[in-house]
Amino acid sequence: MKRVQTSAASPSRPILVLGGGIAGCTAAWKLHREGVPVLLIEASGRFGGRIQSEQQLGATFESGMQFYYTAYTQTRRLLRATGLESKLRPAAVQGWMTWKGRKTQFSKTKPWLGIVGVLGNLKLWMAMARQALSLLFVDIFRSSASDANDGISVGEAFQKRVPHAVYELAVRPMVTSYSFNESEQHSLAMMLRILKLGIVAKPQALICGNDALPRALAGEVPTLRGQVRSIEMGEEGGVRAVIVETAEGIRRLEADQVICALPPPSAAAVFSSIPRLRELFEAIPYTATIMVNLKLDRALDPVNWVYALSREDGHQAAFAIDCRARCPEAFPDGKSVLQVSFINPLAARFLDKPDDELKRIAIEDMKIYLPQLGEWVTDTTVIRRPLAVPAFAAGTFKTVHELKNRAAGIQGLYLVGDYLRVPFVEGAVRSALDVVGPLP
């Protein structure tokens, strides 16, 4: 991975960072801390990208990334540098799941045994044992175009090797909760990374909202609110300028070096003048998700706060969490907010459904756990995320690898973002450090 030439930056021609997600904020913050002239450009005026902490219903809850994991070593260094590490709290995942009308409790350390029994669990771990070597050596936070599992889907790897109930109760919830996508077309290479992260790391919540980190990083650097329209290329094929639409009008910012931290769908439009680059950006799909947030008049049992919703029981939502139990300090009134999530491909079809219809479906789905839920709801909000996370289907690593190689051939252009490594916060942070150098 090529790195920016910090010595070539000047106050009149700073390094331009396009996009204020966690990758862009990390890159800009690191350069600024080193005294390198830099300008961070973000269209929305808020920083964090898909890390979104919503101030709604009298509380702070997450509509994007849910946890910081203990294995996020570089992210934790940023949290420490910004004074936020002390605001992390453990969030042990445990809750309920159903299978054909039966309910059982589960925890991260003892999942699924109550429904599928010892034999079902044995077959699951036998299927996992086939991947033991890959699991042992896989780098959680770096993808590889040569990964043999990149071309294999999760369905192909597991559906014929484990009982149907085990696939639905063990494999599907694991994939859907991380990727907001059904597991059949998900890459086995990415699932192994998800599994290893779950084995070696513990989830934590940031009591002031997960987006406090990107906001803190962006707060230290020069920023410009504007929509990037295009990148001008010079006759010799290198970066020459960036065209930005601001509230005051169109601006042309001359630049020798540009760090593009835009998500692939946005980057595709910016690079419309480079057909092959645009095509590769367009080839990286994204999942959609819809979150229905149900404010209750009471606090639910905080011990079991994750709810898996089985397709076999006719549910349309995939899972739900009690946001208060996940991070009690973010809910000063002590009341629960149930966040019910719909994922791809259903979420993509539901994006235009009215709020009232989504609320009705969410409450109906959750009645298997909470029969009186409809009487407890005092307020509702709906969040639609057409671009939730990069969808790592079989073969995506190879597409990303070609994209990296193409971009590396353009003088002055650098790409950062979670799609370049893995769709975790740590993947995004490390992609930025690939370009701007390691943290001190």
Side-chain angles (χ1 to χ4, degrees), residues 116-260:
V116 302
V118 174
L119 181 59
N121 277 269
L122 180 61
K123 289 185 176 181
L124 170 64
W125 292 111
M126 288 175 63
M128 286 307 310
R130 298 171 65 94
Q131 307 298 331
L133 195 60
S134 297
L135 192 64
L136 180 63
F137 290 105
V138 71
D139 184 333
I140 300 174
F141 303 119
R142 183 185 292 277
S143 62
S144 170
S146 62
D147 192 326
N149 294 310
D150 176 41
I152 302 172
S153 74
V154 172
E156 180 184 350
F158 284 97
Q159 281 182 314
K160 294 181 180 179
R161 297 191 175 99
V162 299
H164 180 59
V166 172
Y167 183 78
E168 291 295 326
L169 294 170
V171 177
R172 189 182 301 284
M174 185 196 320
V175 174
T176 58
S177 61
Y178 278 86
S179 70
F180 299 119
N181 203 25
E182 295 290 4
S183 55
E184 282 74 20
Q185 298 306 313
H186 199 68
S187 163
L188 175 61
M190 265 308 306
M191 181 193 159
L192 292 177
R193 286 163 171 79
I194 292 170
L195 180 62
K196 189 169 183 177
L197 178 64
I199 292 172
V200 304
K202 296 179 180 179
Q204 296 178 315
L206 198 57
I207 62 174
C208 47
N210 287 338
D211 70 355
L213 176 58
R215 286 191 288 108
L217 297 174
E220 294 190 25
V221 305
T223 62
L224 172 68
R225 181 170 183 175
Q227 180 73 51
V228 178
R229 293 303 182 190
S230 62
I231 296 179
E232 281 188 14
M233 311 301 292
E235 293 181 1
E236 66 284 356
V239 171
R240 184 169 62 184
V242 174
I243 308 303
V244 183
E245 182 178 351
T246 70
E248 291 75 34
I250 300 295
R251 293 182 59 178
R252 182 180 182 274
L253 305 177
E254 293 190 355
D256 298 315
Q257 298 184 88
V258 169
I259 298 175
C260 181

Side-chain angles (χ1 to χ4, degrees), residues 13 29 84 90 103 134-135 138 142 205 230 253 260 262 267 281 286-288 308 323 346:
R13 298 178 77 88
W29 178 86
L84 292 170
K103 293 181 291 185
S134 297
L135 192 64
V138 71
R142 183 185 292 277
S230 62
L253 305 177
C260 181
L262 300 170
F281 278 121
Y286 267 64
T287 63
C323 299
L346 193 65

Side-chain angles (χ1 to χ4, degrees), residues 53-124:
S53 303
E54 300 287 339
Q55 308 297 319
Q56 295 182 4
L57 306 178
T60 301
F61 58 91
E62 308 304 332
S63 65
M65 182 270 292
Q66 294 289 332
F67 302 113
Y68 288 97
Y69 281 84
T70 52
Y72 288 1
T73 56
Q74 300 306 306
T75 306
R76 291 185 73 90
R77 293 179 73 180
L78 292 175
L79 288 163
R80 193 174 307 125
T82 53
L84 292 170
E85 189 177 32
S86 63
K87 298 184 184 298
L88 289 171
R89 299 291 184 271
V93 175
Q94 53 190 29
W96 291 88
M97 58 172 42
T98 68
W99 177 251
K100 297 184 177 179
R102 292 175 56 198
K103 293 181 291 185
T104 190
Q105 292 174 293
F106 74 92
S107 71
K108 181 180 176 181
T109 56
K110 298 181 292 185
W112 318 301
L113 189 65
I115 292 183
V116 302
V118 174
L119 181 59
N121 277 269
L122 180 61
K123 289 185 176 181
L124 170 64

